[in-house]
């Protein structure tokens, strides 16, 4: 069997703006951190905002042909209806630099963070959010659209909506199912509006969304557990996906782990941080820094399922695993190899997978968990901001150069 990928397969890495840029005091996440609701304040993060050239040099060395990144709405529109020419110019410079290096840009327009004014005055549960977000999308498409190869309107919106409207763990911090349903509907409508706006300005653009698409399995064969498993699948993909049918040019799949659901009547409180959902818990790997169970075969199962469900070109927009500082990089190398074997298998069986992005280029801010989990091919020294490529960086570089596994 040949382990090579298609000739124009897109090999990349992903990293979101808030998690790497640093110093974004206009963002609702910045405020959330200041209220002590996350393990670390992001501070300078990786200071990508100022050091992007250095990171792009590393992208060039890695040999990627695509970089999946994002734009901070709160930098572009720091106050309602006030757009920052300076921030737009800065993003232009960043994307132009990637273009010069022949690296395609896949740009997400909303990666979980919003401007403080939006969160205070509106929020996704308010109908006005649709129009307001559409205004921002129009502006960035007009100003930056010529430098964007693939648009991703939202990154995994069901994650921040669940965390922000059911678990109270992300901004705006609600535990309110009615508001949650309203927010899901508004996000769906904002997505469809954005899709139309982008296509009107850039008819040839590729526009899509990403889903957190882990593989869920329940322990045992009881009817209840099977039903719960179906509900988990419906929640993560179909609840939103069904509302935006016909408005996706491709589908982005973010695959991380196996979610093995168990029933635990002792824990009926919702606690998303400890993975407890109204009496159901997700099995844990005690040795993993985020307790996640690595399951390479799951990416194959997910790709097969998504191929049938969406009938669209698929990009693996994120795939990676957290490790602890300084150790376990060999696990990252193993992780990449094993997952790619299964991506390749899905392609061989006819699934239209056109690209793979490893999460992440470098260690970065892991939302509530701060700087402890390390996801990077590049180790970040947060004191000196020195970037040190790990062995896995060179292992992935070799795979990209060979367009597949040895
Ligand atoms: C998100 C990233 C996050 C990663 C690891 C993904 O679901 O898009 O922002 O850092 O998972 O948890």
């Amino acid at each position: 069997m040949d382990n090579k990928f298609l000739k124009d397969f897109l090999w990349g890495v992903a990293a979101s703006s808030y998690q790497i840029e640093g110093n974004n005091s206009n963002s609702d996440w910045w405020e959330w951190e200041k209220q002590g609701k996350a393990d670390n304040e992001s501070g300078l993060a990786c200071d990508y905002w100022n050091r992007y050239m250095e990171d792009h040099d590393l992208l060039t060395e890695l040999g990627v042909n695509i970089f999946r990144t994002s734009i901070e709405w709160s930098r572009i529109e720091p106050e309602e209806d006030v757009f920052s020419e300076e921030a737009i110019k800065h993003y232009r410079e960043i994307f132009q630099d990637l273009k010069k290096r022949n690296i395609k840009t896949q740009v997400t327009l909303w990666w979980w963070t919003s401007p403080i004014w939006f969160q205070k005055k509106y929020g996704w549960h308010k109908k006005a959010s649709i129009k307001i977000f559409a205004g921002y999308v129009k502006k960035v498409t007009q100003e930056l659209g010529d430098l964007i190869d693939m648009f991703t309107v939202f990154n995994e919106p069901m994650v921040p909506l669940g965390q922000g409207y059911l678990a109270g763990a992300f901004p705006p911090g609600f535990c309110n199912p009615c508001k949650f349903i309203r927010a899901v509907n508004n996000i769906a409508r904002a997505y469809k509006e954005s899709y139309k706006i982008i296509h009107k300005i850039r008819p040839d653009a590729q526009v899509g969304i990403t889903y957190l698409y882990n593989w869920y399995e329940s322990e045992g064969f009881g009817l209840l557990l099977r039903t719960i498993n179906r509900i988990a699948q419906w929640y993560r993909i179909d609840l939103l996906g069904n509302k935006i049918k016909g408005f996706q040019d491709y589908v982005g799949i973010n695959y991380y782990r196996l979610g093995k659901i168990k029933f635990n009547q002792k824990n009926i409180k919702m606690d998303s941080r400890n993975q407890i959902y109204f009496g159901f818990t997700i099995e844990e790997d005690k040795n993993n820094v985020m307790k996640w169970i690595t399951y390479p075969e799951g990416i194959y199962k997910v790709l097969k399922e998504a191929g049938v469900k969406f009938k669209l070109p698929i990009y693996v927009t994120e795939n990676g695993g957290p490790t602890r500082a300084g150790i376990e990089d060999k696990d990252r190398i193993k992780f990449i190899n094993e997952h790619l074997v299964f991506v390749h298998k899905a392609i061989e069986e006819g699934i239209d997978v056109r690209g793979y992005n490893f999460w992440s280029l470098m260690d970065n801010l892991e939302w509530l968990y701060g700087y402890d989990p390390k996801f990077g091919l590049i180790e970040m020294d947060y004191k000196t901001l020195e970037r040190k490529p790990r062995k896995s960086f060179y292992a992935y570089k070799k795979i990209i150069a060979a367009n597949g596994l040895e």
Side-chain angles (χ1 to χ4, degrees):
M1 189 181 71
D2 181 6
N3 274 334
K4 301 293 172 209
F5 284 72
L6 291 176
K7 198 170 90 303
D8 39 12
F9 193 77
L10 292 180
W11 292 102
V13 279
S16 90
S17 43
Y18 192 83
Q19 293 175 273
I20 59 174
E21 280 178 359
N23 268 349
N24 187 357
S25 56
N26 294 322
S27 162
D28 58 346
W29 254 93
W30 185 267
E31 218 180 45
W32 197 249
E33 293 163 357
K34 291 272 176 238
Q35 292 165 6
K37 292 180 177 154
D39 287 355
N40 292 112
E41 290 184 17
S42 51
L44 256 189
C46 309
D47 195 25
Y48 172 81
W49 189 248
N50 297 305
R51 292 167 199 249
Y52 68 88
M53 284 279 197
E54 204 180 318
D55 296 326
H56 292 181
D57 283 345
L58 287 161
L59 287 175
T60 301
E61 181 173 356
L62 186 58
V64 294
N65 45 22
I66 191 162
F67 181 42
R68 177 167 179 245
T69 179
S70 63
I71 295 177
E72 283 295 285
W73 179 11
S74 53
R75 285 194 195 273
I76 301 272
E77 195 176 356
E79 287 168 49
E80 189 171 0
D81 273 334
V82 178
F83 294 97
S84 160
E85 291 309 320
E86 202 188 321
I88 291 171
K89 186 167 160 267
H90 196 80
Y91 278 119
R92 273 202 81 79
E93 283 162 12
I94 291 179
F95 298 152
Q96 264 160 351
D97 186 62
L98 290 166
K99 290 271 163 198
K100 254 193 257 152
R101 296 167 189 269
N102 253 333
I103 296 172
K104 284 190 195 307
T105 51
Q106 179 174 13
V107 179
T108 298
L109 306 184
W110 189 81
W111 199 312
W112 301 8
T113 57
S114 303
I116 293 174
W117 60 262
F118 171 81
Q119 202 64 277
K120 285 226 165 95
K121 195 164 159 196
Y122 304 99
W124 288 112
H125 57 291
K126 299 258 175 71
K127 212 168 157 197
S129 60
I130 304 166
K131 206 168 143 228
I132 291 164
F133 185 72
Y136 154 69
V137 171
K138 188 171 172 200
K139 183 75 180 170
V140 290
T141 311
Q142 282 166 339
E143 302 280 348
L144 300 166
D146 58 316
L147 298 171
I148 299 176
D149 293 295
M150 290 176 78
F151 288 80
T152 306
V153 179
F154 290 111
N155 176 61
E156 305 176 355
M158 292 311 292
V159 175
L161 291 183
Q163 294 279 39
Y165 283 91
L166 293 177
F170 278 22
F174 289 124
C175 302
N176 184 325
C178 293
K179 284 198 169 100
F180 168 77
I181 292 294
R182 287 210 293 270
V184 174
N185 285 329
N186 291 338
I187 283 256
R189 289 184 55 195
Y191 174 82
K192 288 197 279 190
E193 269 308 299
S194 306
Y195 182 91
K196 288 189 238 163
I197 291 167
I198 298 168
H199 273 293
K200 205 164 165 204
I201 302 171
R202 285 266 328 267
D204 59 328
Q206 288 287 300
V207 186
I209 194 168
T210 65
Y211 297 89
L212 178 60
Y213 209 141
N214 288 321
W215 183 253
Y216 284 89
E217 243 168 51
S218 36
E219 208 175 70
F221 297 95
L223 182 63
L224 179 65
L225 282 175
R226 275 213 309 271
T227 310
I228 291 302
N229 196 28
R230 292 283 292 273
I231 292 173
Q233 291 185 352
W234 168 81
Y235 174 87
R236 74 195 151 110
I237 311 296
D238 304 326
L239 176 57
L240 181 72
N242 287 342
K243 295 181 198 290
I244 59 170
K245 266 199 184 135
F247 290 81
Q248 295 168 91
D249 302 325
Y250 68 88
V251 58
I253 302 290
N254 296 349
Y255 174 79
Y256 282 90
R257 58 170 167 147
L258 172 69
K260 215 166 180 193
I261 299 172
K262 292 194 303 190
F263 186 54
N264 179 350
Q265 78 270 43
K266 275 191 245 134
N267 281 315
I268 51 161
K269 247 185 79 213
M270 172 84 163
D271 177 357
S272 64
R273 236 174 151 180
N274 289 307
Q275 311 199 56
I276 300 164
Y277 305 90
F278 307 114
F280 296 91
T281 59
I282 297 185
E283 209 174 276
E284 296 176 342
D285 176 353
K286 299 263 178 305
N287 295 320
N288 182 281
V289 61
M290 286 175 77
K291 305 190 188 120
W292 290 1
I293 301 181
T294 301
Y295 181 52
E297 198 178 342
I299 199 165
Y300 163 78
K301 294 182 175 175
V302 156
L303 290 172
K304 293 281 282 193
E305 192 180 274
V308 175
K309 195 188 277 285
F310 292 101
K311 300 188 178 54
L312 286 169
I314 297 177
Y315 293 86
V316 176
T317 34
E318 284 175 47
N319 175 227
T323 63
R324 287 195 174 78
I327 52 164
E328 297 173 357
D329 185 51
K330 63 175 186 340
D331 289 351
R332 190 173 288 106
I333 299 176
K334 191 163 167 255
F335 184 104
I336 299 173
N337 279 296
E338 290 180 354
H339 283 77
L340 282 174
V341 166
F342 282 110
V343 174
H344 192 263
K345 183 167 150 83
I347 296 173
E348 284 218 314
E349 292 177 19
I351 305 299
D352 185 9
V353 185
R354 301 193 183 176
Y356 175 89
N357 280 294
F358 185 73
W359 181 269
S360 180
L361 170 64
M362 51 198 170
D363 295 341
N364 56 54
L365 181 88
E366 180 52 23
W367 305 111
L368 293 177
Y369 302 90
Y371 290 118
D372 204 21
K374 314 288 176 196
F375 279 91
L377 295 173
I378 297 167
E379 184 185 339
M380 181 65 51
D381 181 328
Y382 291 105
K383 286 204 188 85
T384 62
L385 292 173
E386 193 193 341
R387 283 102 160 111
K388 276 193 227 139
R390 295 189 163 106
K391 286 202 176 104
S392 51
F393 177 96
Y394 297 102
Y396 189 43
K397 177 181 165 141
K398 222 167 129 190
I399 292 171
I400 297 173
N403 195 33
L405 301 160
E406 295 289 300

Short mmCIF file of all heavy atoms in Angstrom, two decimals, residues 29-67:
data_model
loop_
_atom_site.label_atom_id
_atom_site.label_comp_id
_atom_site.label_asym_id
_atom_site.label_seq_id
_atom_site.Cartn_x
_atom_site.Cartn_y
_atom_site.Cartn_z
N TRP A 29 -12.69 37.62 26.55
CA TRP A 29 -11.87 36.61 27.25
C TRP A 29 -10.87 37.27 28.18
O TRP A 29 -10.54 36.75 29.25
CB TRP A 29 -11.14 35.69 26.26
CG TRP A 29 -11.81 34.36 26.26
CD1 TRP A 29 -12.79 33.97 25.41
CD2 TRP A 29 -11.59 33.28 27.17
NE1 TRP A 29 -13.20 32.70 25.73
CE2 TRP A 29 -12.48 32.25 26.80
CE3 TRP A 29 -10.73 33.06 28.25
CZ2 TRP A 29 -12.54 31.04 27.48
CZ3 TRP A 29 -10.79 31.85 28.94
CH2 TRP A 29 -11.69 30.86 28.56
N TRP A 30 -10.36 38.39 27.77
CA TRP A 30 -9.40 39.13 28.60
C TRP A 30 -10.07 39.48 29.92
O TRP A 30 -9.51 39.30 31.00
CB TRP A 30 -8.98 40.39 27.83
CG TRP A 30 -7.92 41.20 28.47
CD1 TRP A 30 -8.10 42.26 29.31
CD2 TRP A 30 -6.50 41.04 28.32
NE1 TRP A 30 -6.88 42.78 29.69
CE2 TRP A 30 -5.88 42.04 29.09
CE3 TRP A 30 -5.69 40.14 27.60
CZ2 TRP A 30 -4.49 42.18 29.16
CZ3 TRP A 30 -4.32 40.28 27.68
CH2 TRP A 30 -3.73 41.29 28.45
N GLU A 31 -11.30 39.94 29.82
CA GLU A 31 -12.04 40.31 31.02
C GLU A 31 -12.34 39.10 31.89
O GLU A 31 -12.24 39.13 33.11
CB GLU A 31 -13.35 40.97 30.57
CG GLU A 31 -13.73 42.12 31.45
CD GLU A 31 -15.01 42.77 31.01
OE1 GLU A 31 -16.01 42.06 30.71
OE2 GLU A 31 -15.03 43.99 30.98
N TRP A 32 -12.71 38.01 31.23
CA TRP A 32 -13.00 36.73 31.91
C TRP A 32 -11.79 36.28 32.74
O TRP A 32 -11.90 35.87 33.88
CB TRP A 32 -13.35 35.70 30.83
CG TRP A 32 -14.04 34.46 31.30
CD1 TRP A 32 -13.51 33.19 31.32
CD2 TRP A 32 -15.39 34.32 31.75
NE1 TRP A 32 -14.44 32.30 31.76
CE2 TRP A 32 -15.61 32.97 32.03
CE3 TRP A 32 -16.44 35.23 31.94
CZ2 TRP A 32 -16.83 32.48 32.49
CZ3 TRP A 32 -17.66 34.74 32.41
CH2 TRP A 32 -17.84 33.38 32.68
N GLU A 33 -10.62 36.39 32.10
CA GLU A 33 -9.37 36.01 32.80
C GLU A 33 -9.11 36.93 33.99
O GLU A 33 -8.71 36.48 35.06
CB GLU A 33 -8.18 36.13 31.84
CG GLU A 33 -8.18 35.16 30.70
CD GLU A 33 -7.23 35.58 29.58
OE1 GLU A 33 -6.62 36.67 29.69
OE2 GLU A 33 -7.11 34.83 28.61
N LYS A 34 -9.37 38.20 33.76
CA LYS A 34 -9.13 39.18 34.85
C LYS A 34 -10.04 38.90 36.03
O LYS A 34 -9.72 39.24 37.17
CB LYS A 34 -9.41 40.62 34.36
CG LYS A 34 -8.40 41.12 33.36
CD LYS A 34 -7.22 41.77 34.07
CE LYS A 34 -6.15 42.19 33.08
NZ LYS A 34 -4.83 41.61 33.27
N GLN A 35 -11.20 38.30 35.78
CA GLN A 35 -12.11 37.95 36.88
C GLN A 35 -11.71 36.64 37.55
O GLN A 35 -12.46 36.08 38.34
CB GLN A 35 -13.55 37.84 36.34
CG GLN A 35 -14.13 39.17 35.89
CD GLN A 35 -15.38 39.01 35.03
OE1 GLN A 35 -15.89 37.90 34.84
NE2 GLN A 35 -15.86 40.11 34.48
N GLY A 36 -10.57 36.09 37.14
CA GLY A 36 -10.06 34.87 37.76
C GLY A 36 -10.80 33.61 37.34
O GLY A 36 -10.77 32.61 38.04
N LYS A 37 -11.44 33.63 36.19
CA LYS A 37 -12.25 32.48 35.79
C LYS A 37 -11.50 31.48 34.92
O LYS A 37 -12.08 30.52 34.43
CB LYS A 37 -13.51 32.97 35.10
CG LYS A 37 -14.42 33.68 36.10
CD LYS A 37 -15.68 34.18 35.46
CE LYS A 37 -16.58 34.81 36.50
NZ LYS A 37 -17.47 35.80 35.95
N ALA A 38 -10.22 31.76 34.67
CA ALA A 38 -9.39 30.80 33.92
C ALA A 38 -8.10 30.60 34.72
O ALA A 38 -7.78 31.41 35.60
CB ALA A 38 -9.08 31.36 32.54
N ASP A 39 -7.35 29.54 34.42
CA ASP A 39 -6.17 29.23 35.22
C ASP A 39 -5.05 30.27 35.08
O ASP A 39 -4.26 30.45 35.99
CB ASP A 39 -5.62 27.85 34.85
CG ASP A 39 -6.51 26.75 35.38
OD1 ASP A 39 -7.47 27.07 36.11
OD2 ASP A 39 -6.27 25.57 35.08
N ASN A 40 -4.95 30.88 33.91
CA ASN A 40 -3.92 31.92 33.71
C ASN A 40 -4.52 33.11 33.00
O ASN A 40 -5.47 32.95 32.24
CB ASN A 40 -2.79 31.42 32.80
CG ASN A 40 -1.94 30.35 33.42
OD1 ASN A 40 -1.97 29.21 32.99
ND2 ASN A 40 -1.19 30.69 34.44
N GLU A 41 -3.92 34.26 33.22
CA GLU A 41 -4.26 35.40 32.36
C GLU A 41 -3.37 35.29 31.13
O GLU A 41 -2.19 34.94 31.26
CB GLU A 41 -3.99 36.71 33.11
CG GLU A 41 -4.97 36.92 34.23
CD GLU A 41 -4.80 38.26 34.92
OE1 GLU A 41 -4.15 39.15 34.36
OE2 GLU A 41 -5.33 38.40 36.04
N SER A 42 -3.91 35.63 29.97
CA SER A 42 -3.13 35.36 28.76
C SER A 42 -1.92 36.28 28.64
O SER A 42 -0.88 35.87 28.12
CB SER A 42 -4.00 35.46 27.52
OG SER A 42 -4.73 36.65 27.51
N GLY A 43 -2.01 37.51 29.11
CA GLY A 43 -0.87 38.42 29.05
C GLY A 43 -0.33 38.55 27.64
O GLY A 43 -1.09 38.74 26.69
N LEU A 44 0.95 38.35 27.50
CA LEU A 44 1.57 38.48 26.18
C LEU A 44 1.37 37.26 25.28
O LEU A 44 1.70 37.29 24.10
CB LEU A 44 3.08 38.68 26.36
CG LEU A 44 3.66 40.07 26.18
CD1 LEU A 44 5.18 40.00 26.19
CD2 LEU A 44 3.19 40.72 24.88
N ALA A 45 0.88 36.17 25.88
CA ALA A 45 0.75 34.88 25.16
C ALA A 45 2.06 34.59 24.44
O ALA A 45 3.12 34.65 25.06
CB ALA A 45 -0.45 34.89 24.24
N CYS A 46 2.02 34.32 23.13
CA CYS A 46 3.27 34.06 22.38
C CYS A 46 3.76 35.34 21.71
O CYS A 46 4.73 35.32 20.96
CB CYS A 46 3.04 32.99 21.32
SG CYS A 46 2.25 31.50 21.94
N ASP A 47 3.02 36.42 21.92
CA ASP A 47 3.34 37.70 21.29
C ASP A 47 3.45 37.58 19.77
O ASP A 47 4.27 38.24 19.13
CB ASP A 47 4.64 38.29 21.88
CG ASP A 47 4.80 39.77 21.52
OD1 ASP A 47 3.79 40.43 21.26
OD2 ASP A 47 5.95 40.24 21.47
N TYR A 48 2.58 36.74 19.22
CA TYR A 48 2.56 36.57 17.76
C TYR A 48 2.26 37.91 17.08
O TYR A 48 2.74 38.18 15.98
CB TYR A 48 1.50 35.52 17.39
CG TYR A 48 1.23 35.37 15.91
CD1 TYR A 48 2.08 34.60 15.11
CD2 TYR A 48 0.13 35.97 15.31
CE1 TYR A 48 1.83 34.44 13.75
CE2 TYR A 48 -0.14 35.83 13.96
CZ TYR A 48 0.72 35.06 13.18
OH TYR A 48 0.47 34.92 11.84
N TRP A 49 1.50 38.75 17.72
CA TRP A 49 1.13 40.06 17.15
C TRP A 49 2.38 40.82 16.69
O TRP A 49 2.37 41.47 15.66
CB TRP A 49 0.33 40.85 18.19
CG TRP A 49 -0.30 42.11 17.68
CD1 TRP A 49 0.05 43.39 18.02
CD2 TRP A 49 -1.40 42.24 16.76
NE1 TRP A 49 -0.77 44.29 17.37
CE2 TRP A 49 -1.66 43.61 16.59
CE3 TRP A 49 -2.19 41.31 16.07
CZ2 TRP A 49 -2.68 44.09 15.75
CZ3 TRP A 49 -3.21 41.78 15.24
CH2 TRP A 49 -3.44 43.17 15.08
N ASN A 50 3.44 40.72 17.50
CA ASN A 50 4.68 41.43 17.16
C ASN A 50 5.75 40.53 16.55
O ASN A 50 6.64 41.00 15.87
CB ASN A 50 5.26 42.11 18.40
CG ASN A 50 4.31 43.16 18.94
OD1 ASN A 50 3.90 44.06 18.21
ND2 ASN A 50 3.90 43.02 20.19
N ARG A 51 5.65 39.23 16.85
CA ARG A 51 6.73 38.33 16.41
C ARG A 51 6.32 37.42 15.28
O ARG A 51 6.89 36.34 15.09
CB ARG A 51 7.19 37.48 17.61
CG ARG A 51 7.88 38.30 18.65
CD ARG A 51 8.03 37.53 19.94
NE ARG A 51 8.28 38.49 21.01
CZ ARG A 51 9.43 38.60 21.65
NH1 ARG A 51 10.41 37.79 21.37
NH2 ARG A 51 9.58 39.51 22.57
N TYR A 52 5.27 37.81 14.54
CA TYR A 52 4.75 36.88 13.54
C TYR A 52 5.77 36.50 12.47
O TYR A 52 5.77 35.38 11.97
CB TYR A 52 3.46 37.44 12.90
CG TYR A 52 3.64 38.67 12.05
CD1 TYR A 52 3.93 38.56 10.70
CD2 TYR A 52 3.50 39.95 12.59
CE1 TYR A 52 4.10 39.70 9.92
CE2 TYR A 52 3.66 41.08 11.82
CZ TYR A 52 3.96 40.96 10.48
OH TYR A 52 4.14 42.06 9.71
N MET A 53 6.71 37.40 12.18
CA MET A 53 7.74 37.10 11.16
C MET A 53 8.56 35.88 11.56
O MET A 53 8.86 35.02 10.76
CB MET A 53 8.69 38.29 11.00
CG MET A 53 8.09 39.42 10.23
SD MET A 53 8.19 39.09 8.47
CE MET A 53 7.90 40.72 7.87
N GLU A 54 8.93 35.90 12.85
CA GLU A 54 9.72 34.79 13.38
C GLU A 54 8.94 33.48 13.25
O GLU A 54 9.49 32.44 12.87
CB GLU A 54 9.98 35.10 14.87
CG GLU A 54 11.18 34.44 15.47
CD GLU A 54 11.33 34.82 16.94
OE1 GLU A 54 11.12 36.02 17.29
OE2 GLU A 54 11.62 33.93 17.74
N ASP A 55 7.64 33.55 13.53
CA ASP A 55 6.82 32.34 13.44
C ASP A 55 6.60 31.93 11.99
O ASP A 55 6.55 30.74 11.68
CB ASP A 55 5.48 32.56 14.18
CG ASP A 55 5.72 32.77 15.66
OD1 ASP A 55 6.67 32.14 16.18
OD2 ASP A 55 5.01 33.57 16.28
N HIS A 56 6.50 32.90 11.11
CA HIS A 56 6.34 32.57 9.70
C HIS A 56 7.63 31.95 9.14
O HIS A 56 7.58 31.09 8.27
CB HIS A 56 5.93 33.80 8.89
CG HIS A 56 4.53 34.29 9.24
ND1 HIS A 56 3.94 35.36 8.63
CD2 HIS A 56 3.61 33.82 10.12
CE1 HIS A 56 2.73 35.55 9.14
NE2 HIS A 56 2.51 34.63 10.06
N ASP A 57 8.77 32.38 9.68
CA ASP A 57 10.04 31.73 9.27
C ASP A 57 9.97 30.25 9.64
O ASP A 57 10.41 29.38 8.88
CB ASP A 57 11.24 32.35 10.01
CG ASP A 57 11.62 33.71 9.42
OD1 ASP A 57 11.16 34.03 8.30
OD2 ASP A 57 12.38 34.45 10.08
N LEU A 58 9.41 29.98 10.82
CA LEU A 58 9.30 28.58 11.25
C LEU A 58 8.30 27.81 10.39
O LEU A 58 8.51 26.64 10.09
CB LEU A 58 8.93 28.52 12.74
CG LEU A 58 10.10 28.91 13.67
CD1 LEU A 58 9.61 29.28 15.05
CD2 LEU A 58 11.11 27.76 13.77
N LEU A 59 7.23 28.49 9.97
CA LEU A 59 6.28 27.83 9.07
C LEU A 59 6.97 27.47 7.76
O LEU A 59 6.76 26.38 7.21
CB LEU A 59 5.10 28.77 8.76
CG LEU A 59 4.07 29.02 9.86
CD1 LEU A 59 3.06 30.07 9.40
CD2 LEU A 59 3.33 27.73 10.21
N THR A 60 7.79 28.39 7.27
CA THR A 60 8.52 28.14 6.03
C THR A 60 9.45 26.94 6.22
O THR A 60 9.52 26.05 5.38
CB THR A 60 9.34 29.39 5.62
OG1 THR A 60 8.42 30.47 5.46
CG2 THR A 60 10.10 29.17 4.34
N GLU A 61 10.13 26.94 7.35
CA GLU A 61 11.05 25.82 7.59
C GLU A 61 10.28 24.49 7.69
O GLU A 61 10.74 23.46 7.20
CB GLU A 61 11.85 26.06 8.87
CG GLU A 61 12.80 24.91 9.10
CD GLU A 61 13.78 25.08 10.23
OE1 GLU A 61 13.83 26.15 10.86
OE2 GLU A 61 14.49 24.08 10.49
N LEU A 62 9.12 24.54 8.29
CA LEU A 62 8.31 23.32 8.43
C LEU A 62 7.83 22.83 7.06
O LEU A 62 7.62 21.64 6.86
CB LEU A 62 7.12 23.64 9.36
CG LEU A 62 6.20 22.54 9.81
CD1 LEU A 62 6.95 21.43 10.53
CD2 LEU A 62 5.11 23.10 10.74
N GLY A 63 7.65 23.76 6.14
CA GLY A 63 7.27 23.37 4.78
C GLY A 63 5.78 23.28 4.53
O GLY A 63 5.35 22.71 3.53
N VAL A 64 4.97 23.87 5.41
CA VAL A 64 3.51 23.80 5.23
C VAL A 64 3.08 24.60 4.00
O VAL A 64 3.75 25.55 3.61
CB VAL A 64 2.74 24.37 6.45
CG1 VAL A 64 2.95 23.51 7.67
CG2 VAL A 64 3.13 25.82 6.74
N ASN A 65 1.95 24.19 3.40
CA ASN A 65 1.41 25.02 2.32
C ASN A 65 0.12 25.72 2.72
O ASN A 65 -0.49 26.41 1.93
CB ASN A 65 1.26 24.24 1.00
CG ASN A 65 0.63 22.89 1.22
OD1 ASN A 65 -0.06 22.66 2.21
ND2 ASN A 65 0.85 21.98 0.28
N ILE A 66 -0.31 25.54 3.98
CA ILE A 66 -1.47 26.29 4.49
C ILE A 66 -1.26 26.60 5.97
O ILE A 66 -0.64 25.80 6.69
CB ILE A 66 -2.79 25.52 4.24
CG1 ILE A 66 -4.01 26.41 4.53
CG2 ILE A 66 -2.85 24.23 5.05
CD1 ILE A 66 -5.32 25.91 3.93
N PHE A 67 -1.75 27.75 6.40
CA PHE A 67 -1.74 28.10 7.83
C PHE A 67 -3.17 28.44 8.22
O PHE A 67 -3.78 29.31 7.61
CB PHE A 67 -0.80 29.28 8.09
CG PHE A 67 -0.70 29.69 9.55
CD1 PHE A 67 -0.61 28.74 10.56
CD2 PHE A 67 -0.67 31.04 9.91
CE1 PHE A 67 -0.51 29.11 11.90
CE2 PHE A 67 -0.57 31.42 11.25
CZ PHE A 67 -0.48 30.45 12.24
#
